[in-house]
Amino acid sequence: MSASILIVEDEAAIHQLLAYNLQAEGFRTRVVETGEEVYPAIVEEMPDLLLLDWMLPGLSGIDVCRMIRARPETQKLPILMLTARGEESERIRGLATGADDYVIKPFSVPEVMARIRSILRRVKPEAVAETLGFGDITLDRVKKRVTRSTRDVTLSPTEFRLLEYLMQSPGRVYSRAQLLDRVWGNDNFVDERTVDVHVGRLRKNLSRGREVDPIRTVRGSGYAFDERFGKA
Ligand code: CA
């Protein structure tokens, strides 16, 4: 999985639990603790899904939901709402306000994960697909395997994540800083040249210097998985 989730929850124990488990599944997470912080966080980077608690200090989850649906740029942002037990009428109101689904607190972590996956499968299938395939390259996220035609391609864990990230949005160019952030995560000890080194190794393992290179270097910008790869 490689989607980004914005968690809106004021209780630290709950957002930590959610963030921990989502990260373990490969999701990228950010947390804000109030409804007021949601919009600035979205402007900074559009998430793939909003995990939104109903009970927040200040702006409530419902207020946030309404606001998200009212603005054209966020109208389609998927929202999974967390609601308290026994608030049937409020849950119905939540769905009426535009949440895609809801989970009742106290929730089980696997249930939240399943709901998130099911929403993403609908709106962003490439983020939760078990395999990604272009041309003769297939990446299996579950078995952590890459094959090229009939050959197994051996990659380091970082090279695998890098290829997975690029293959998720073919044609999209990512800067070295973006790749560091999204593939290496919060490890600030690596610098941007590390990206070049890993892209170089990834290329070598994928193409062995004689097959078509699926990765484009975009001068002054960064790297992309070539959207024309395999379509010649
Ligand atoms: Ca709360």
Side-chain angles (χ1 to χ4, degrees):
M1 314 305 135
S2 181
S4 85
I5 316 261
L6 180 61
I7 302 169
V8 191
E9 165 65 271
D10 55 312
E11 284 167 76
I14 296 182
H15 67 61
Q16 282 164 7
L17 175 75
L18 290 167
Y20 175 84
N21 283 282
L22 284 164
Q23 284 167 22
E25 297 266 323
F27 290 102
R28 288 183 302 118
T29 61
R30 283 181 300 157
V31 173
V32 294
E33 297 193 336
T34 64
E36 286 78 0
E37 292 166 278
V38 172
Y39 229 78
I42 287 177
V43 169
E44 193 184 296
E45 190 198 332
M46 180 66 82
D48 294 308
L49 184 140
L50 199 64
L51 187 49
L52 176 63
D53 185 33
W54 180 289
M55 297 290 285
L56 295 167
L59 273 183
S60 75
I62 284 290
D63 297 331
V64 173
C65 200
R66 239 184 237 123
M67 185 178 81
I68 300 276
R69 289 294 173 256
R71 303 198 187 184
E73 65 275 25
T74 52
Q75 216 165 32
K76 290 185 175 153
L77 176 62
I79 300 175
L80 176 61
M81 201 110 183
L82 299 172
T83 72
R85 187 175 292 283
E87 293 172 338
E88 188 64 37
S89 61
E90 299 220 324
R91 290 203 298 274
I92 292 163
R93 230 176 95 211
L95 291 178
T97 315
D100 292 84
D101 201 355
Y102 62 85
V103 175
I104 303 167
K105 281 177 162 181
F107 53 79
S108 78
V109 168
E111 188 191 356
V112 174
M113 296 297 183
R115 297 292 179 93
I116 288 176
R117 264 189 226 107
S118 118
I119 294 175
L120 289 175
R121 211 169 283 133
R122 206 152 21 93
V123 300
K124 204 189 175 199
E126 68 281 12
V128 286
E130 286 189 4
T131 60
L132 299 172
F134 294 98
D136 57 358
I137 296 177
T138 306
L139 179 144
D140 187 322
R141 283 180 162 143
V142 180
K143 298 185 183 119
K144 302 277 176 213
R145 259 178 131 152
V146 175
T147 53
R148 178 144 200 185
S149 184
T150 54
R151 165 173 79 91
D152 278 331
V153 179
T154 308
L155 298 178
S156 73
T158 303
E159 288 159 24
F160 182 90
R161 284 199 306 275
L162 186 58
L163 179 62
E164 178 185 14
Y165 195 74
L166 293 173
M167 278 179 93
Q168 208 173 262
S169 306
R172 183 151 170 207
V173 182
Y174 293 99
S175 69
R176 289 165 179 82
Q178 283 172 326
L179 291 172
L180 270 185
D181 181 48
R182 287 154 204 197
V183 176
W184 277 259
N186 296 323
D187 185 356
N188 290 321
F189 298 103
V190 286
D191 69 41
E192 296 190 0
R193 272 166 305 178
T194 307
V195 177
D196 300 329
V197 172
H198 284 267
V199 168
R201 287 190 199 139
L202 173 60
R203 276 186 163 137
K204 205 167 155 197
N205 287 324
L206 279 176
S207 313
R208 297 180 298 182
R210 47 181 191 268
E211 287 155 294
V212 177
D213 181 3
I215 295 168
R216 277 177 64 215
T217 302
V218 183
R219 285 187 75 176
S221 299
Y223 296 103
F225 190 89
D226 192 344
E227 75 279 18
R228 286 174 301 190
F229 175 74
K231 288 182 185 153

